Amino acid sequence: MTRLSTIANRPRWRSLALLAVCLAPLLWPLQHLAERYYGNELISQNRQTLDLYVANLLGTLHRYEMLPQILSDLPALRAGLVNPQPLTQDAANRLLKDISQQTGADVMYLMDPSGQTLAASNWDKHDTFVGRNFAFRPYFIDAMAGRLGRFFGLGTTSAKRGYFFAAAVHDHDRVVGALVVKVDLDRTETLWGKTPEQLLLTDHNGVVILTSNPEWRFRATRPLSADEEKAITAIQPYPTRNPKPLIINDKAWITQTQPIDEVGWSVNILAPRVLVDRPVRTVVAVGGATLLVLMLLLGLMMQRRRHYLDRIAFEAEGRHELEMRVIERTSDLEGLNSRLKQEVLEREQAQQELVRAQDELLQAGKLSALGTMSASISHELNQPLAAIRSYAENAEVLLDHQRTDDARNNLKLISELTARMASIIAHLRAFARRDRHAPESVALQPALEDALALLAKRRRSMEVELIRDLPDATLWVQAGETRLRQVLGNLLANALDALTEKGPPRKLWLSAEQTAQGVNVYIRDNGPGFTNEALTRAREPFFTTKTRTQGLGLGLAICDALMRALDGELVFANHPSGGAVLTLRLRAGESGISLQPPEDLSA
Ligand code: ADP
């Protein structure tokens, strides 16, 4: 997180500004190139304008240049000089006017040798030249000397700028005067029009004679020499004798000059530098803007790239963190897993040890039980043996009295008892070996009768009242023939044992009922009932409280084990009105069906 924020805070705009400063000098060559380009464009354009203007000016001048010489041969004009009569002068005036109108010349006039104007095309105007003397003008002097007179000057009468051409008028070989043609130059100035470029036409003195800027008119572009000043004073070409200096700011104007050698003039076009500066500024601005846009795009790209890199770094960090967490979690889980495995192993070992211990304990218990088996057998067999003895003794007496049928009956009973004894022994053996026979359907009532029969004599001697509450219909239970009789016999014997400890009346209740779960058999006596200790411990093997009868403490233990083997239950409790109640909970068997063959008693 710290690393990311450092990246984000990096001053990238500073580096962009630095880049801009580095790139800014690129604008200088751009400006230079633009200046060169637009300067050249302007110059070539103005060069054409200049050429045109010069050609136009020279064309105008050339048109009138030869006119004085040609016109001087006209007799009517010559007559005006040779014979200066009003008539001839009037004729000359009219002719001059006609010709000047046809040729477009400003003024044409005739001067006599003294410089006096005798006839003029503007004879009828208020500012007529007629009667004026222009002997001071150089064109007159040149003409009188036989040369072509040429001169620029401001008209002293008209105040109009003009170019003068003059030629001598001959009468035979004699010079009788001069003919002058004045060309109006004001018009060539107005022809220039209103353009940003300015026209500047200077004469041989460097004085501005034609210009598109009225303020510059008749101003000296260079200092005048003394001779020039003297000449100016003499011939008065300008409205002033001391032309003021004109200083052109080279920085503000681009000047192009073309000399007109023929007249000693030079034509200048002054283009304001702003004409170049403006497009150059535009180009530089566009260039700068383009550069700026490029910079911004670059900045944007850099920003996006940085953003992208930041995101990649962030994602990589996240991924790394996730991987680390997964690795940590995996190692935790692996640790946990190996601990669990270890625990499972330990538990399995403990389980095995427990099973082994239980096995050993069981075996020890069995051996211990077997150790006392002889005593137990004697206990279990004691009663049938006693019965057999009494039947035998009884049979002896019956045989003495020739009651063979009764004696046979006794013998039969003895035989049954021995069979039962064998069954008991088998059962004890089976118990010791933990052999199990599959449960079968056994009729409850006959088993109960058998058990009672075994104890009948003892019960009678003890005067125990038997109260039966058994249903007429046979109750079928899941049990083994022998095991059920063994259990019932044990419980009944216990009841009689308990009743021996009590005086009459002695009562024994026998009842049974069919329940939803199976069949319940209740054996109740009105003896002393279970002691508190016996209630908790009676299931333990060899637990006995009996002193008067010889108790082994095996009866209930065996009964409980047998009942559990039959999937039933043995419950003992005390009755509220005294005495013990033993309940046998058995599973119901299918009526009248013995699924298994009778138990193998010899097993
Ligand atoms: P034993 O009969 O050899 O004592 P049992 O396992 O049959 O061994 O009985 C254990 C003990 O349970 C007896 O010693 C006696 O205290 C008690 N007991 C059994 N049946 C009765 C009964 N019907 N009334 C009172 N106590 C009984």
Side-chain angles (χ1 to χ4, degrees):
M1 199 60 206
T2 324
R3 194 165 67 85
L4 285 177
S5 60
T6 317
I7 291 169
N9 292 337
R10 210 177 275 172
R12 61 184 76 113
W13 288 110
R14 196 192 294 168
S15 53
L16 268 180
L18 202 71
L19 195 65
V21 168
C22 293
L23 290 176
L26 283 178
L27 291 176
W28 183 78
L30 182 71
Q31 183 183 9
H32 188 70
L33 281 172
E35 271 175 0
R36 270 248 307 262
Y37 174 77
Y38 286 107
N40 287 342
E41 280 279 294
L42 189 76
I43 283 168
S44 80
Q45 198 181 319
N46 285 348
R47 170 74 51 208
Q48 286 177 17
T49 313
L50 205 58
D51 287 346
L52 264 174
Y53 186 79
V54 168
N56 181 45
L57 186 69
L58 284 176
T60 306
L61 294 180
H62 286 161
R63 205 160 61 221
Y64 300 100
E65 191 177 15
M66 301 312 291
L67 207 56
Q69 271 181 315
I70 297 162
L71 294 178
S72 64
D73 287 340
L74 289 174
L77 298 179
R78 193 185 304 131
L81 287 175
V82 175
N83 189 13
Q85 295 296 317
L87 262 174
T88 54
Q89 281 181 351
D90 187 53
N93 280 336
R94 290 177 192 280
L95 185 62
L96 286 170
K97 188 178 180 179
D98 278 354
I99 295 169
S100 75
Q101 277 175 349
Q102 283 167 29
T103 58
D106 188 26
V107 190
M108 288 182 179
Y109 51 102
L110 282 169
M111 296 167 79
D112 69 5
S114 67
Q116 194 75 22
T117 305
L118 297 182
S121 60
N122 61 357
W123 58 274
D124 51 351
K125 303 273 169 52
H126 66 94
D127 55 347
T128 181
F129 289 0
V130 177
R132 304 280 311 267
N133 191 305
F134 301 116
F136 61 94
R137 296 287 204 188
Y139 61 81
F140 175 70
I141 297 160
D142 286 342
M144 292 307 285
R147 300 187 295 268
L148 175 67
R150 320 171 65 111
F151 173 70
F152 165 82
L154 187 77
T156 48
T157 319
S158 63
K160 273 162 66 177
R161 278 161 299 169
Y163 199 81
F164 299 82
F165 292 104
V169 180
H170 293 92
D171 181 30
H172 303 291
D173 289 334
R174 190 168 59 96
V175 175
V176 290
L179 188 132
V180 185
V181 173
K182 185 190 173 190
V183 182
D184 180 16
L185 288 182
D186 279 3
R187 221 153 47 88
T188 58
E189 197 180 67
T190 54
L191 277 176
W192 187 256
K194 291 201 179 305
T195 59
E197 290 92 348
Q198 301 293 334
L199 170 72
L200 193 79
L201 199 149
T202 55
D203 65 3
H204 58 282
N205 291 325
V207 175
V208 179
I209 53 172
L210 289 173
T211 175
S212 52
N213 186 347
E215 284 182 18
W216 295 349
R217 208 170 285 152
F218 300 116
R219 292 176 75 161
T221 55
R222 62 173 172 80
L224 294 166
S225 67
D227 286 346
E228 284 167 339
E229 279 178 3
K230 218 155 69 185
I232 288 165
T233 311
I235 60 177
Q236 300 167 30
Y238 320 122
T240 172
R241 290 176 185 189
N242 292 308
K244 286 186 199 158
L246 173 67
I247 294 159
I248 300 288
N249 183 2
D250 282 343
K251 285 184 181 156
W253 300 96
I254 298 168
T255 307
Q256 276 172 269
T257 305
Q258 186 166 331
I260 311 175
D261 295 331
E262 198 180 316
V263 285
W265 296 350
S266 67
V267 184
N268 304 281
I269 287 186
L270 278 79
R273 222 168 252 282
V274 73
L275 288 182
V276 173
D277 289 351
R278 206 178 292 141
V280 167
R281 267 205 301 275
T282 308
V283 165
V284 171
V286 168
T290 310
L291 204 64
L292 201 71
V293 166
L294 283 175
M295 298 289 304
L296 283 173
L297 280 175
L298 196 70
L300 210 68
M301 274 165 64
M302 277 165 67
Q303 201 174 14
R304 290 197 69 137
R305 185 174 157 273
R306 192 164 299 286
H307 183 70
Y308 178 68
L309 288 177
D310 284 356
R311 220 181 59 203
I312 286 178
F314 183 73
E315 281 175 3
E317 199 162 320
R319 242 190 340 263
H320 181 69
E321 258 176 42
L322 195 71
E323 276 168 15
M324 291 310 291
R325 282 224 303 274
V326 166
I327 287 170
E328 266 173 37
R329 203 60 202 270
T330 308
S331 84
D332 283 356
L333 283 174
E334 276 173 358
L336 193 70
N337 199 23
S338 69
R339 277 206 304 281
L340 278 173
K341 271 186 187 164
Q342 184 66 26
E343 221 163 277
V344 166
L345 207 69
E346 282 169 9
R347 271 167 196 259
E348 275 175 358
Q349 280 173 355
Q351 186 78 18
Q352 280 170 5
E353 272 169 27
L354 192 72
V355 167
R356 209 179 305 127
Q358 276 178 344
D359 229 35
E360 279 168 9
L361 213 69
L362 201 71
Q363 209 53 36
K366 276 185 186 174
L367 289 173
S368 154
L370 280 171
T372 55
M373 191 52 78
S374 54
S376 180
I377 290 167
S378 66
H379 168 82
E380 292 295 329
L381 301 181
N382 203 25
Q383 287 162 0
L385 269 177
I388 288 169
R389 193 183 300 124
S390 76
Y391 281 134
E393 285 169 1
N394 203 16
E396 230 176 306
V397 175
L398 290 171
L399 282 173
D400 287 346
H401 289 84
Q402 301 295 315
R403 288 169 60 187
T404 49
D405 283 348
D406 290 339
R408 190 176 290 116
N409 196 38
N410 271 20
L411 286 174
K412 195 180 165 210
L413 282 171
I414 288 167
S415 169
E416 279 175 12
L417 280 169
T418 50
R420 183 66 54 207
M421 283 168 73
S423 168
I424 290 166
I425 290 162
H427 175 73
L428 283 168
R429 262 176 44 205
F431 169 72
R433 282 213 316 270
R434 210 169 58 167
D435 283 351
R436 285 179 189 174
H437 296 279
E440 56 188 331
S441 269
V442 179
L444 176 68
Q445 285 92 332
L448 207 50
E449 288 304 325
D450 284 354
L452 280 169
L454 280 174
L455 297 164
K457 192 180 174 199
R458 190 178 167 209
R459 181 169 60 82
R460 274 195 294 274
S461 67
M462 283 172 65
E463 295 176 349
V464 176
E465 184 190 352
L466 184 65
I467 304 154
R468 298 169 192 240
D469 183 15
L470 297 167
D472 293 337
T474 309
L475 292 170
W476 293 90
V477 294
Q478 287 275 339
E481 292 275 0
T482 313
R483 281 175 285 180
L484 183 60
R485 284 174 174 78
Q486 189 180 351
V487 170
L488 292 169
N490 255 313
L491 299 183
L492 289 170
N494 272 353
L496 292 182
D497 286 349
L499 288 170
T500 54
E501 297 184 18
K502 181 190 172 297
R506 296 184 177 113
K507 288 184 180 176
L508 184 64
W509 288 268
L510 280 179
S511 58
E513 62 176 354
Q514 183 95 41
T515 64
Q517 287 78 32
V519 175
N520 284 358
V521 182
Y522 307 99
I523 300 168
R524 179 188 158 197
D525 62 69
N526 65 342
F530 286 90
T531 62
N532 283 339
E533 192 190 10
L535 272 178
T536 51
R537 296 188 55 201
R539 277 176 226 275
E540 291 176 17
F542 310 114
F543 173 81
T544 181
T545 58
K546 288 171 189 168
T547 47
R548 290 174 68 178
T549 54
Q550 200 184 5
L552 282 173
L554 272 173
L556 288 185
I558 290 173
C559 289
D560 187 55
L562 289 174
M563 284 305 290
R564 276 192 275 115
L566 291 173
D567 209 9
E569 195 183 3
L570 169 66
V571 181
F572 40 86
N574 286 329
H575 196 269
S577 43
V581 183
L582 287 107
T583 309
L584 287 177
R585 293 199 177 126
L586 287 155
R587 284 171 58 205
E590 287 181 48
S591 56
I593 301 169
S594 183
L595 296 171
Q596 297 285 327
E599 286 176 8
D600 179 9
L601 297 176
S602 63

